[in-house]
Structure formats: structure tokens, C-alpha cells
Amino acid sequence: MTQEEINNTNWSQSVAGVCIKDGKVLLARHTYGSGNGRLIIPGGYVKYGEVPEEALIREYLEETGVRVKAGRLIGMRFNAKDWYAVFAVEYVEGEARSDGDENSEVVWMDTTEALKDDTVPGLTKTMIECTLSGTGFELTPYQTSHPGYLYTQQS
């Protein structure tokens, strides 16, 4: 990561996404931090000037080689120092591959296997379950003079 990329990253905002295609979920084996060696859903930090959906699409492509479209918001974590948003995402195109840096491998794993696999952390399993259930908040159009998105519970 260049100094410019470091300076342009909002370290208090992060996103991730669950991509399920043909009964398989896309997971990346993390190479650092608390996720080292574990299969997690792809994601990363938001850059200044980006909205979460843009960051998610960029991070997915950088880390996995797969282009996705952000869907419903399925999870949100807030604490005193940061926030983390998780989306269900739709596969658009691309061949899954490791970025050779933040992950050592990228795999399509059967969702049933992923929910049983000991190398898949609990948070990732919970987000897979939320995606499979079809619940979450949908993007709701609205007018504003500032860029942003509104998610609401749909009935």
C-alpha cells in the first residue's frame, strides 16, 4: 500500500460482502491479523470520498478478481471508534483468484460446508446465514443534495 493510499483510507469505516452463486459462497483465506489463516468474506476499508457500496465493489475486485453488485444491507456493527457494514452481493463477472497479499487463496465453498468449517469464523457464518435467509434492508431511493444511500426494511 502506498503512502497516498494510506492517507486516503478512512480507517474507521469498513465493508464486507457475501457473494453466493450456485450454492457456493466466495471466501478468502486472510493472511494477517485476527483473521490470519481463516476463510472470511471479502471486504476492506472505505476511502475518503467513497460511499460504502463503491468501496465494497472496489475491495471485492482488488482482493478476489470478482466483480459484484452491492445488494441489501444484512449486517451493521457500530462501536465507539468505527463501523462495519456487510452486504449481500450479486456476482457479476470474473474468475476468483488470490490477490497474493491480503489473502493466500480465494475459494468458492459450498454454503453448507462453510457453515460447518472450523476455519470459517462465527461472524462470517452469521453473515452467510443472513444472506441465505433473504432478510435485510433494501436500498430505498430518495432525493438529496449530498451523495448517500438510504436502506429501509422492506415488507
Side-chain angles (χ1 to χ4, degrees):
M1 188 175 260
T2 67
Q3 189 60 46
E4 182 180 344
E5 290 172 318
I6 291 169
N7 292 341
N8 193 35
T9 299
N10 186 337
W11 301 102
S12 65
Q13 300 177 357
S14 58
V15 295
V18 179
C19 185
I20 297 176
K21 182 180 107 169
D22 301 327
K24 296 182 179 188
V25 61
L26 189 63
L27 299 172
R29 192 168 305 279
H30 222 52
T31 59
Y32 63 93
S34 61
N36 189 19
R38 304 189 84 188
L39 287 167
I40 63 172
I41 53 177
Y45 290 101
V46 178
K47 292 182 179 183
Y48 290 109
E50 274 185 324
V51 293
E53 295 81 359
E54 293 168 338
L56 178 63
I57 292 165
R58 176 185 50 75
E59 285 286 343
Y60 241 87
L61 189 58
E62 289 174 2
E63 292 183 9
T64 71
V66 171
R67 189 174 307 281
V68 296
K69 178 182 176 190
R72 66 188 185 283
L73 180 66
I74 58 171
M76 191 77 199
R77 185 210 67 220
F78 296 100
N79 65 36
K81 68 178 187 114
D82 63 14
W83 59 255
Y84 172 70
V86 182
F87 297 85
V89 300
E90 178 184 326
Y91 171 86
V92 175
E93 64 182 359
E95 293 294 321
R97 51 99 183 120
S98 169
D99 69 359
D101 181 27
E102 294 183 40
N103 62 66
S104 60
E105 69 175 324
V106 174
V107 298
W108 287 102
M109 180 180 273
D110 181 85
T111 55
T112 304
E113 290 178 33
L115 293 172
K116 295 177 185 174
D117 192 302
D118 290 338
T119 65
V120 177
L123 177 60
T124 292
K125 289 177 181 178
T126 298
M127 293 298 96
I128 293 168
E129 289 169 339
C130 288
T131 302
L132 291 171
S133 76
T135 59
F137 294 84
E138 298 289 338
L139 179 62
T140 304
Y142 74 105
Q143 296 294 324
T144 181
S145 59
H146 302 288
Y149 296 88
L150 172 68
Y151 283 85
T152 59
Q153 183 68 44
Q154 302 294 303
S155 53

